[in-house]
Amino acid sequence: DVKVTQSSRYLVKRTGEKVFLECVQDMDHENMFWYRQDPGLGLRLIYFSYDVKMKEKGDIPEGYSVSREKKERFSLILESASTNQTSMYLCASRSGQGGEAFFGQGTRLTVV
Amino acid sequence: TQLLEQSPQFLSIQEGENLTVYCNSSSVFSSLQWYRQEPGEGPVLLVTVVTGGEVKKLKRLTFQFGDARKDSSLHITAAQPGDTGLYLCAGSVGGATNKLIFGTGTLLAVQP
């Protein structure tokens, strides 16, 4: 069974903390994505990666960075968490253009 | 920045009714997908359309890709409570990278 695994389902962090969200896929996919999901806004793309060590900014990259040192792992980093980064974060992977995107179950992050 | 606008944002209907959800953009996409998301889960792929004017049917669901590959629609016939969920369109942006952006979402509630 194919799988995208996010390290935490729920996280509570304090303002100013550095936060790491981890995502691992077991499908040997080239492409991995980080989205945040807020009511009424759908999924907004933060960053994506199309190969190891390759990354591109999505539509809302401010306040975030990413790391892809290995093909199966894509990490999202909040350099200094702020309350407006409270959200549901979803990781996805897919093999190529037009391919199905497989999602993790999401991390609900609350910044207090 | 490519944008995918969905309408309506919310839809509450009775079992047995028909409905159509629209996904519109000013950008051209190499392919377009529809996903459904249930509470606490990541989105799951329903269909992929790649050719302008293409129509695909999946039981009571009919998907259409616009001739210019900028828009799409999802039509559900005789909706059932099991169709309840968040429907998301997603467009693939062509080129060397495989950017995948999502629409704003349509939350459908089908009352028994």
Side-chain angles (χ1 to χ4, degrees), chain A residues 35 37 40 94 97 99 101, chain B residues 9 30 33 35 37 92 98 100:
Chain A
Y35 298 90
Q37 183 171 27
R94 72 171 185 171
Q97 272 201 39
Chain B
Q9 190 175 3
S30 57
Q33 297 174 317
Y35 290 78
Q37 184 180 23
S92 290
N98 291 296
L100 180 65

Side-chain angles (χ1 to χ4, degrees), chain B residues 36-102:
Chain B
R36 188 171 82 189
Q37 184 180 23
E38 299 190 13
E41 304 291 331
V44 175
L45 180 69
L46 295 172
V47 77
T48 300
V49 285
V50 297
T51 306
E54 183 176 0
V55 177
K56 276 192 175 177
K57 291 193 175 184
L58 188 68
K59 297 184 181 177
R60 293 176 294 100
L61 279 60
T62 302
F63 305 86
Q64 185 163 8
F65 200 12
D67 291 339
R69 290 186 289 130
K70 292 183 179 182
D71 55 84
S72 181
S73 63
L74 157 61
H75 182 79
I76 301 179
T77 302
Q80 298 177 2
D83 296 326
T84 293
L86 179 66
Y87 289 81
L88 295 152
C89 62
S92 290
V93 180
T97 62
N98 291 296
K99 188 176 182 181
L100 180 65
I101 65 165
F102 277 79

